[in-house]
Amino acid sequence: TVAVQMLSVARAAATSCMRQGMLAAQPVALKSAARPLVRTMHFSRPQWVVLGAELAGQSTASQKRKVGIWLLGCAGMVYGAVALGGVTRLTESGLSMVNWDLFRTMKPPLSEAEWVTEFERYKQFPEYKFKSSNEEMTLSQFKFIWTMEYTHRMWGRAIGLAFLIPCGYFWARGYFARPMKIRMLLAGSLIGVQGLVGWWMVKSGLDPSQNSSEVPRVSQYRLATHLSLAFVLYSIFLWTGLSHVLKPADHTKVAGIGKLRGLAHGSKTLVFTTAVMGAFVAGLDAGLVYNSWPKYADKWIPENLGSRTPLWKNFFENEVTVQFIHRNLAYLTLASITATWLIGRRMNLSRRAKFALHGTMAMGYTQAALGISTLVHFVPVWLAAAHQSGSM
């Protein structure tokens, strides 16, 4: 407020000096001209809010809302990309496009001859040979898996455009303060990195030397990296978008709020960790190892948990161990969410915080039900895709 008043006083003083012919006025003269203005000028809230926004490089309420809606739209697109990527993986479509570049692969095959050429290119790689070991893959089947992967890639490029074009406009118009500029640079970098990591992941499935599995599939390490970056990008867009659209409630005086915050952050961390381990389950097809619940076949502790050497490989490369860890992380996550809810429901929280609290509790148990159903029904595509989307 003081800075805005000083700016306004300086403008008024300069105007006064010009009117009095003081074009070459010394600082003392300017100070004398400004002093009575300081005593007499009054500022209404709308005036100093707008002027303050100009001074500090911050956006007005209307500008913030526009930015927030745009970022929430970007978050929705990232969510859609993850859901689509899950379906692409579950339909075994991810290795159908064997080339990658930014522009040339944007053009799909338009004629039958172009489809045949693309199919012949796919036949040179291990997945075709594996899938055709019992029954020859048809061109029609290839068209389906290729279209799935193509849609996923184009969706990723659309996210880049949906972010970069409005970001450039808002940046040029001065909507972003310095902290926001740094955050937008981070988000833009993550989008670019995601594209590179996606291809790095696909390459591991095209090159048998990069994968020890007899079944052609992408590296579970690279799949987990791809999904983790998507979670981070989604969180940046969602949190920043909400902070621009909604006014935060003040909970600083609520008794026990520190404990609730700790539990909430702990639950968030566990959700993320469980989802990352879920990527290892997906990459190893570990959901097809033990399809019973709550026991593993007829045992509470499955066999062969430590069958690989060195021991650490069991945590990331042993299908049994990976499923076991994922299941138990899910139990721990659900316990953390439940504890957060039990403590938070007794507090004098704002209406929106209560809604978030109850929503997290409901989604936690829904996600657990989806996971169990996916497991016992031998990983059907629609259930598995819902389970992956539910984690996000």
Side-chain angles (χ1 to χ4, degrees):
T1 305
V2 171
V4 173
Q5 290 177 346
M6 289 176 65
L7 175 64
S8 299
V9 167
R11 287 174 178 170
T15 302
S16 176
C17 289
M18 290 180 69
R19 286 175 179 170
Q20 297 174 35
M22 299 168 63
L23 297 178
Q26 298 297 316
V28 174
L30 285 171
K31 184 177 180 181
S32 299
R35 187 176 293 114
L37 292 170
V38 173
R39 290 195 297 267
T40 58
M41 291 189 69
H42 300 281
F43 299 94
S44 66
R45 178 176 170 81
Q47 288 174 323
W48 64 257
V49 166
V50 174
L51 287 170
E54 291 175 358
L55 256 182
Q58 297 172 348
S59 55
T60 64
S62 173
Q63 291 172 344
K64 283 190 72 174
R65 184 167 181 82
K66 288 178 184 177
V67 171
I69 292 171
W70 160 62
L71 290 172
L72 290 176
C74 289
M77 290 194 72
V78 173
Y79 185 95
V82 172
L84 187 58
V87 175
T88 301
R89 179 187 58 77
L90 289 160
T91 55
E92 299 180 350
S93 305
L95 299 178
S96 55
M97 291 182 71
V98 297
N99 289 336
W100 187 90
D101 59 66
L102 195 56
F103 298 110
R104 281 182 296 178
T105 51
M106 292 179 69
K107 176 185 174 295
L110 299 176
S111 65
E112 196 69 11
E114 289 179 345
W115 273 114
V116 170
T117 300
E118 193 69 32
F119 191 26
E120 290 300 320
R121 190 178 293 119
Y122 172 70
K123 287 181 179 180
Q124 307 304 312
F125 290 87
E127 186 180 67
Y128 167 79
K129 296 168 185 176
F130 176 79
K131 286 188 173 184
S132 298
S133 57
N134 294 323
E135 184 179 351
E136 189 78 12
M137 177 186 282
T138 65
L139 180 60
S140 177
Q141 291 171 329
F142 171 73
K143 285 181 179 181
F144 170 77
I145 62 173
W146 192 95
T147 302
M148 286 297 305
E149 172 63 8
Y150 176 79
T151 305
H152 181 53
R153 290 195 191 186
M154 292 306 104
W155 190 280
R157 285 170 170 81
I159 293 173
L161 293 175
F163 172 78
L164 289 173
I165 295 174
C167 184
Y169 172 80
F170 291 139
W171 193 306
R173 294 296 298 272
Y175 281 33
F176 298 154
R178 179 177 171 80
M180 187 64 174
K181 288 179 179 179
I182 294 172
R183 191 170 292 194
M184 292 300 95
L185 284 172
L186 174 61
S189 300
L190 276 173
I191 291 174
V193 169
Q194 266 293 67
L196 296 174
V197 168
W199 175 241
W200 178 62
M201 178 184 71
V202 169
K203 281 184 69 176
S204 66
L206 298 176
D207 184 358
S209 67
Q210 298 184 38
N211 197 332
S212 59
S213 171
E214 295 179 1
V215 180
R217 59 189 179 204
V218 300
S219 163
Q220 67 272 26
Y221 295 101
R222 301 185 187 189
L223 175 61
T225 303
H226 195 47
L227 184 66
S228 299
L229 289 175
F231 265 77
V232 173
L233 184 61
Y234 173 76
S235 299
I236 290 173
F237 282 147
L238 182 67
W239 181 258
T240 310
L242 288 175
S243 67
H244 277 65
V245 172
L246 303 175
K247 182 180 179 181
D250 184 9
H251 291 102
T252 54
K253 296 181 180 179
V254 176
I257 193 65
K259 183 178 182 180
L260 183 66
R261 281 201 182 105
L263 283 168
H265 284 301
S267 297
K268 177 182 66 177
T269 303
L270 283 168
V271 168
F272 179 78
T273 307
T274 307
V276 171
M277 189 52 65
F280 281 92
V281 171
L284 292 168
D285 287 331
L288 298 172
V289 180
Y290 282 102
N291 297 96
S292 56
W293 186 86
K295 292 184 177 182
Y296 301 82
D298 59 344
K299 297 182 179 180
W300 288 105
I301 304 295
E303 297 177 349
N304 301 319
L305 280 177
S307 58
R308 290 180 180 264
T309 54
L311 185 62
W312 68 266
K313 283 197 170 186
N314 290 283
F315 294 91
F316 306 107
E317 298 180 15
N318 185 333
E319 295 88 341
V320 176
T321 312
V322 166
Q323 190 195 114
F324 181 77
I325 293 172
H326 182 61
R327 280 206 209 187
N328 285 280
L329 276 172
Y331 298 146
L332 187 59
T333 301
L334 200 58
S336 178
I337 289 172
T338 304
T340 306
W341 180 79
L342 287 172
I343 291 174
R345 64 190 286 268
R346 300 187 184 97
M347 292 183 176
N348 186 29
L349 302 175
S350 66
R351 182 180 178 184
R352 195 166 64 234
K354 286 278 189 181
F355 179 81
L357 190 71
H358 298 324
T360 305
M361 181 71 166
M363 192 61 223
Y365 280 86
T366 300
Q367 178 68 352
L370 285 171
I372 295 167
S373 300
T374 301
L375 183 73
V376 299
H377 289 94
F378 294 87
V379 197
V381 171
W382 71 274
L383 264 178
H387 184 55
Q388 177 176 293
S389 300
S391 67
M392 179 164 277

